[in-house]
Every structure is written in structure tokens, then in C-alpha cells.
Amino acid sequence: MDRKVLVLIMILLLLGIAGGLVYMFFFQGEMAPRTSLSLGTYGEKPGEFSSPRSVCVDRQGFMYVSDSGNYRIQKLDPKGGVVVVWGQNGTKAGEFDTPTCVCADNQGDIFVSDYMNNRIQKFSPVGVFVSEIGGLGSEPGKFHQPLGIAFDSLNNLYVADTLNHRIQKFSPSGKFILEWGTGQPGSGVGQMAAPFDVAVDYRDNVYVADTANHRIQKFSNKGVFISAWGCKGDKKGEFLMPVAVAVDEDNNILVIDQGNNRIQKFTEEGKFVSKWGTAGSESGQFYMPTDLFITPEGDIYVADCGNNRILRFEKQRGFFETKPTRSPYLVPTGGGIVVTPDEGEGGETPSDPDKTFDIREEDGGDDGGGSE
């Protein structure tokens, strides 16, 4: 190769690298990942959606969508083709009244928050009903309009019991283990106000979207408060109705900031990293998004509820970066009902980890693993 041509190529490469570094320095947090898939339009046919509230992906790459307005779950192949559809409006086993979160456990079974029926239903991957837990109430094991669900490394189930303002934990067999939260809305340490979602990281720490307090709270898997961040607003690190939370392959925390139609990314300590999204229906825009799911490879699926579509964003990888090899899908998280933000200010970020709050625990059950 001619020396002049080689020098020119090297100069162009250096200019490209420098330009990228300048962009990252001055515009950090504003660049969206690349949209690699957009599925759905409004309707009731297979492959169409009416207010899709939640999405998760199993180990084989099949997508499960909570098609709430059509009272059903749709299973799609990795390219978006319909595999199976199940559910209808009702109260019997396998029927739904506003299905919200859909989540695959570590064994591949599918769990659905049946919001208005105040229960969690379990299905096989092809939609065969297996079992259910719950019923309306405030005692342990009962729910009042549950939303987000997630699993830890031992397949224990966590439920955001939204209008009981608490998190409940169950063994893989569905036995109640413990709860935390006072049962009444509050903004103190460990208190919650309509928590919409829950997620578990790879150390089995638990993150709660404390929605009406416009903040994220972090707990151990035994409900011990660790930290919290966020307040009501539209600046970086502030929220207007955070309705979903998920953990990526690097243990970063991603939050759907629904009222601001964006996704924000934080370190596990709550330090702001980046954000993307504005209101709209174009690429990289959202309208009342309700859920997100992150694969071990770092790809992000979003239930863009108001636009009646599912979006997939590919992780942007550096030249020498390879896909991670972490295999467990321990980041499926829930979806939230769209609500109107209140006019009051959100709760202040707790600053005293020694303050106490209510935790109810029962003996027995398969408790989760360690945490920080």
C-alpha cells in the first residue's frame, strides 16, 4: 500500500476516535442506543397490541408481552413472529383482568401479575396454567393490585404489592417468606408510596421503584435498607413517576422515568450515568413507557405502552469489546399501570440507614442468597 494512503487512513482513524471522545465528553448521557427492532401496532390480532405493559425474554430469545388491553400474553420469536397467544378477560385460572408484569423465572416458567384480580399466575412457556398465589387483602401472601415481579438467584419471587405499599417475598413453591414496607404510604426510610416495580441484581440486592415518592430504593434480600436516590423533577437523576427498574450485565441500574418519557442509567450506588428518550413515536422516543428488560448481552427491550409497540435497543460495544458470558436471566422486571402524577412533591431521599421500619418474616421457605 502506498505510504501516503496509509498515512491518510491513520489520520482519518485518529480523527474519528477524537471526534467520538469529544462527543462523549460534551454530550455524555444524551446518545440513545441503536434501535434494532420495533414491533407492534394498535389492534387485537396476533402480533398487534393494546397497551402492552410489560416484556421479558427467555433463555432462547423468545419474547413474552403482556398485552394488557387485550387481556392476554403473546409469545413472539426473536424476529417478532407470533408463537402462541393465551388469555382472555375473566377471573378463572388462565384468564386476566389487566395483566401487567410478565416475567420468566430461572426455570423458564412464565409468571404474570394479574393486576385487578390481585394475584400472580404461573404458566408453562406455551401458556398452560400451572398455579397461582394471592387474592385481595393486606395479610401476608395477599395483594392489592400487584405490579412488578422479579426473581433472585435461588428463584425466590419478589412482588411489588403496589397499593399495600410493600414488597413481598415468596419461595419457589409460592410460600410466603417475608415482607417489608409499613402497609401505608410514606416517604421515610424503607417506607414506600405505590411501588410499581422491583428488580434483583447479581448479588441478590433488591431495587424498588418507589413510584409516588419519585425515587429508587435499594435493600438487601431480607428487606434491610441500603440506600436511595432521586426526587421529583426533570433534571438528570430526578424522576417523574419511575415505574420500572432493571439491572444490566455490569450491575448498572436502568429506570423508566415515565412522566419524562425517558430511561435513566445509574451505577449501583445511584450515581447518574446517562439518559435517553423524549416524548414521541419516532426512533429513540417513547410515549408513557411502562417496562424494560435487559438481556445478559446488554440489549434492552422496552414496552412503549402509549405507542403500542415493543422496542429493542442494541448495546453499543467498543471495537475490542465482546459480549458478556453471564448466563442467568436474573433481571426480568415488572411493568406499571399508567397513572397521573400527583401535584405534591415526592418524598425526600432517606439519609439515615439506622431508622427502622416494618418487616414481617415467617419461618421456613427457601430464602434467598447473600447480599451486600
Side-chain angles (χ1 to χ4, degrees):
M1 181 181 293
D2 185 87
R3 181 175 182 136
K4 290 182 179 179
V5 174
L6 183 60
V7 170
L8 179 60
I9 291 173
M10 293 298 295
I11 291 173
L12 290 173
L13 284 172
L14 290 171
L15 287 174
I17 293 170
L21 291 173
V22 169
Y23 184 91
M24 290 173 63
F25 181 80
F26 286 104
F27 299 100
Q28 181 182 15
E30 303 300 331
M31 185 170 62
R34 184 176 73 88
T35 305
S36 61
L37 185 69
S38 179
L39 296 174
T41 185
Y42 177 77
E44 57 184 27
K45 297 177 182 178
E48 297 178 338
F49 305 121
S50 175
S51 299
R53 305 282 187 179
S54 180
V55 59
C56 76
V57 182
D58 68 15
R59 297 174 188 271
Q60 288 74 45
F62 290 99
M63 292 173 277
Y64 299 82
V65 179
S66 176
D67 187 9
S68 292
N70 287 320
Y71 305 99
R72 65 188 182 186
I73 303 299
Q74 296 198 54
K75 180 179 181 178
L76 311 175
D77 66 30
K79 294 183 178 180
V82 177
V83 177
V84 65
V85 179
W86 75 87
Q88 62 182 8
N89 189 17
T91 60
K92 298 177 182 178
E95 298 179 338
F96 305 108
D97 189 353
T98 315
T100 51
C101 177
V102 59
C103 182
D105 72 2
N106 303 338
Q107 306 303 317
D109 291 316
I110 306 303
F111 289 70
V112 181
S113 292
D114 191 3
Y115 180 74
M116 293 301 293
N117 283 327
N118 298 290
R119 64 185 178 183
I120 308 297
Q121 296 197 65
K122 178 181 178 180
F123 299 89
S124 77
V126 293
V128 177
F129 175 81
V130 177
S131 61
E132 67 176 59
I133 60 172
L136 179 61
S138 59
E139 59 267 35
K142 299 294 185 179
F143 305 116
H144 191 183
Q145 297 182 355
L147 287 173
I149 53 181
F151 293 90
D152 67 16
S153 62
L154 296 182
N155 219 32
N156 294 307
L157 169 67
Y158 298 79
V159 179
D161 188 6
T162 303
L163 292 190
N164 281 323
H165 312 285
R166 66 184 178 182
I167 303 299
Q168 294 199 64
K169 179 179 178 180
F170 299 85
S171 73
S173 64
K175 182 179 179 181
F176 173 81
I177 297 175
L178 65 86
E179 65 176 11
W180 66 92
T182 62
Q184 298 294 325
S187 59
V189 171
Q191 293 182 317
M192 306 168 202
F196 271 38
D197 199 19
V198 59
V200 183
D201 70 14
Y202 297 106
R203 300 184 186 94
D204 283 347
N205 294 307
V206 180
Y207 298 82
V208 176
D210 188 7
T211 304
N213 282 324
H214 310 285
R215 66 183 179 185
I216 302 299
Q217 294 200 64
K218 180 180 180 179
F219 301 88
S220 76
N221 62 1
K222 293 184 179 294
V224 178
F225 174 81
I226 296 174
S227 63
W229 68 90
C231 62
K232 188 175 183 179
D234 58 6
K235 298 177 182 178
K236 294 178 180 179
E238 298 178 342
F239 304 110
L240 185 59
M241 306 299 290
V243 297
V245 59
V247 184
D248 74 9
E249 76 283 6
D250 298 317
N251 235 34
N252 295 307
I253 312 304
L254 277 74
V255 180
I256 286 191
D257 183 9
Q258 187 185 77
N260 289 316
N261 290 292
R262 65 185 181 183
I263 293 173
Q264 296 198 64
K265 180 178 179 179
F266 302 87
T267 68
E268 59 185 303
E269 294 81 21
K271 181 180 178 181
F272 175 83
V273 176
S274 63
K275 64 182 176 68
W276 83 91
T278 57
S281 58
E282 302 300 322
S283 178
Q285 295 183 319
F286 309 108
Y287 181 57
M288 303 303 280
T290 48
D291 188 30
L292 76 166
F293 179 95
I294 309 172
T295 70
E297 294 76 24
D299 296 332
I300 302 168
Y301 291 75
V302 177
D304 190 11
C305 184
N307 283 319
N308 294 294
R309 64 184 181 181
I310 301 298
L311 300 174
R312 182 177 69 202
F313 297 91
E314 281 190 356
K315 179 181 179 181
Q316 301 301 301
R317 297 177 174 86
F319 186 77
F320 295 104
E321 185 179 359
T322 59
K323 287 190 175 184
T325 58
R326 190 193 306 272
S327 60
Y329 276 83
L330 297 182
V331 290
T333 64
I337 296 295
V338 176
V339 300
T340 302
D342 58 50
E343 297 299 325
E345 293 296 323
E348 297 179 356
T349 301
S351 58
D352 184 0
D354 294 324
K355 290 185 179 179
T356 59
F357 48 93
D358 291 344
I359 299 178
R360 179 192 297 269
E361 184 168 2
E362 290 191 355
D363 294 332
D366 301 314
D367 203 352
S371 60
E372 289 187 343

